[in-house]
Amino acid sequence: EEIQAIEFVISPTASVVKRQITKLGLPRGAIVGAAVHNNTVVIPPDDYAVHPGDRVIIISPLTLTPVVERLFM
């Protein structure tokens, strides 16, 4: 199965704002590979909360792309 990494910039109105990684609703097989907050790159722990302006890198199978994109739009 092919996988990809997608970078999302979190907008202030995104449904994922202030949610912890474990509560984002990512489909099985998709993970948060990294986050950039205030120009600092982290491999976020499960209790990391996503903030407006963060850049989040999601790694997922190509087949999950539409589902993942909907979460961050």
Side-chain angles (χ1 to χ4, degrees):
E1 184 169 19
E2 292 186 62
I3 61 168
Q4 66 179 348
I6 308 171
E7 179 180 26
F8 295 96
V9 178
I10 307 303
S11 77
T13 58
S15 64
V16 297
V17 168
K18 296 188 179 177
R19 284 194 193 172
Q20 292 180 338
I21 295 294
T22 56
K23 302 211 165 112
L24 292 180
L26 288 172
R28 185 178 180 97
I31 62 167
V32 178
V36 181
H37 179 73
N38 293 332
N39 293 320
T40 301
V41 178
V42 296
I43 296 174
D46 289 344
D47 63 349
Y48 179 85
V50 177
H51 295 88
D54 282 1
R55 294 178 178 273
V56 178
I57 311 300
I58 304 296
I59 300 171
S60 72
L62 289 175
T63 56
L64 296 178
T65 299
V67 176
V68 172
E69 286 177 337
R70 280 193 293 275
L71 288 172
F72 291 92
M73 299 298 170

